[in-house]
Amino acid sequence: MSLTEAVAVADGYNRRRELQAFDDTKAGVKGLLDAGATSIPAIFHHPPDSLPQPRDHHAATPVTTDGGAAVPVIDLLAAPREEVVRLVRSAAETAGFFQVVNHGVPGEAMAAMIAASRRFNEQPAEAKRPYYTRDTAARKVRFYSNLDLFQSLAACWRDTVFCDMAPEPPLPEELPEPLRGVMFEYADAVRKLAVWVFELLSESLGLGGDHLSKMGCGESLKVAINYYPPCPEPHLTLGNTRHTDPTFLTVLLQDGVGGLQVLLDHAGAGSGWVDVPPVPGALIINIGDLLQLVSNGRFRSVEHRVLANKNTTARISVASFVDVGVGRDTRRYGPIQELVHGGNPPLYRSVTVEEFVGHFYRKGSERRARLDYFKLEQ
Ligand code: OGA
Ligand code: NI
């Protein structure tokens, strides 16, 4: 063994031990701050080329409601409806991200969801510890820091509560007390919004309004509450590394802190890493990998990331992953027949969700270009 190899092995060993020690606290990143951390442990240091580069920096795209912005804000109740369908199509085919207002999720439920998320995370560590696990089969409500802690190259400055809400919701008593009063109402409202958005997306593909819902795209809902504590060295780490969502659709609620960025590659309105700025009252919708697959590449599941929180207060986001149920679901999902014809051959082979999700976990830290695995030779 060369000296470099010996150092690497020793480093690897220490890293493994540090990860285990961090995980054993069951107190997450918030626990490090509570213990007085003024710098970030080495396990959170990302390789320099994964960190935001000075040349990445693009001014926040101006927010407009006319669909002209890179990540547009769309009023779902604007008339005429064909115009809403056109804006949704255009956003789904380019940025893969859009924000919606007049979306039917009550503002009070959104505010209560953020407040409850803060209350859960800011309780003493002892109250959160019983929920701490990364075993997805252990229970319907799980608290953890970095699901891929032991697989990824570097940990992110974020703690998460993950709740399986549909098709089989938890019992009220399975939810931590701070979340009990709001979670069911919020999840129901998000599911209704998802049905509405699937309708607009179906119509924008020239299909009947109920096409995507009938395929079962909205049967399952998983809610991830992300808590991004203030970071003492935000230039060394990330809140979430670049990735696409392995879902059909994601509905994201964020508070006013900001930090979400989407990687745009189209000419015009913006390219490179572009901020998705907080818009009061709005929800963010993004296309997931499975919707890119069934739309035969018309809709785009676009990479996004979250910067480490430079603010002095924690950032909270609530990501609702709209999906088909895994386990019970043996259906195969492939490009929708009506979208595949002579000039438009299928780009992907069909997959079961189990196969898709299995691939997702096998890939571990390689969270990019996942869909390419299912691409057909052209
Ligand atoms: C996610 C995600 C973005 C955010 O949870 O998949 O991309 O702003 N979250 O928290
Ligand atoms: Ni995401």
Side-chain angles (χ1 to χ4, degrees):
M1 191 186 295
S2 71
L3 181 61
T4 347
E5 280 165 338
V7 168
V9 168
D11 266 5
Y13 175 69
N14 286 338
R15 179 175 168 75
R16 172 80 209 182
R17 213 170 41 179
E18 272 184 48
L19 289 171
Q20 193 63 56
F22 169 68
D23 204 43
D24 287 345
T25 66
K26 303 185 184 214
V29 171
K30 174 73 165 62
L32 297 174
L33 286 180
D34 290 346
T38 52
S39 62
I40 71 171
I43 54 170
F44 292 92
H45 290 182
H46 284 250
D49 60 358
S50 323
L51 289 166
Q53 311 292 315
R55 66 181 157 77
D56 283 353
H57 189 78
H58 289 265
T61 336
V63 173
T64 62
T65 48
D66 62 4
V71 178
V73 180
I74 302 175
D75 179 348
L76 291 187
L77 287 179
R81 185 181 164 102
E82 303 82 73
E83 181 60 10
V84 179
V85 170
R86 190 188 68 77
L87 292 172
V88 165
R89 178 197 302 125
S90 155
E93 288 179 348
T94 54
F97 269 73
F98 50 101
Q99 306 214 47
V100 292
V101 292
N102 278 325
H103 43 58
V105 179
E108 303 79 56
M110 291 164 57
M113 194 62 223
I114 297 275
S117 304
R118 189 177 301 283
R119 263 215 301 138
F120 172 83
N121 280 285
E122 296 180 2
Q123 303 174 98
E126 302 76 69
K128 298 190 277 184
R129 220 165 257 139
Y131 296 95
Y132 197 91
T133 180
R134 53 172 53 73
D135 174 3
T136 52
R139 45 184 165 268
K140 290 199 171 121
V141 183
R142 305 177 290 277
F143 168 58
Y144 52 81
S145 185
N146 289 266
L147 189 62
D148 57 357
L149 186 71
F150 295 99
Q151 289 85 37
S152 65
L153 229 47
C156 287
W157 202 252
R158 171 179 99 256
D159 297 332
T160 303
V161 181
F162 200 96
C163 309
D164 300 327
M165 292 305 291
E168 287 156 28
L171 298 168
E173 53 270 30
E174 290 178 86
L175 283 167
E177 189 280 323
L179 300 173
R180 217 168 283 162
V182 63
M183 198 62 171
F184 296 106
E185 189 201 343
Y186 182 76
D188 280 349
V190 165
R191 290 192 81 193
K192 289 198 182 86
L193 170 59
V195 170
W196 188 1
V197 173
F198 279 136
E199 237 172 69
L200 295 166
L201 289 168
S202 299
E203 287 175 30
S204 86
L205 289 169
L207 304 167
D210 58 357
H211 198 107
L212 289 167
S213 284
K214 272 207 174 135
M215 285 171 64
C217 297
E219 281 174 7
S220 144
L221 182 74
K222 304 178 195 96
V223 177
I225 297 171
N226 294 307
Y227 184 83
Y228 301 91
C231 183
E233 295 179 293
H235 55 291
L236 295 179
T237 191
L238 285 161
N240 200 338
T241 49
R242 61 191 288 182
H243 69 280
T244 58
D245 291 349
T247 57
F248 273 94
L249 199 71
T250 304
V251 178
L252 185 84
L253 164 64
Q254 66 170 335
D255 69 6
V257 173
L260 172 63
Q261 296 189 320
V262 53
L263 184 58
L264 300 184
D265 61 3
H266 61 100
S271 63
W273 288 105
V274 171
D275 295 331
V276 185
V279 172
L283 288 164
I284 298 162
I285 308 275
N286 67 282
I287 305 293
D289 294 343
L290 288 165
L291 203 44
Q292 177 171 328
L293 187 146
V294 300
S295 72
N296 202 33
R298 289 255 314 255
F299 296 154
R300 300 185 58 213
S301 173
V302 173
E303 283 187 272
H304 49 285
R305 70 180 179 191
V306 180
L307 303 180
N309 185 2
K310 300 180 180 67
N311 220 273
T312 50
T313 51
R315 171 178 188 257
I316 289 165
S317 76
V318 182
S320 301
F321 300 118
V322 183
D323 222 332
V324 291
V326 189
R328 293 160 302 280
D329 200 326
T330 53
R331 281 170 289 189
R332 298 191 75 80
Y333 290 87
I336 294 171
Q337 283 301 321
E338 287 84 338
L339 305 178
V340 175
H341 43 78
N344 247 338
L347 295 179
Y348 304 100
R349 68 178 178 85
S350 67
V351 296
T352 64
V353 171
E354 203 143 358
E355 198 183 352
F356 180 77
V357 172
H359 178 66
F360 172 66
Y361 285 111
R362 252 197 323 280
K363 294 274 276 189
S365 60
E366 181 45 83
R367 302 167 80 202
R368 293 157 56 179
R370 220 163 8 229
L371 215 46
D372 286 351
Y373 182 78
F374 301 105
K375 243 186 172 149
L376 292 167
E377 298 283 333
Q378 293 301 315

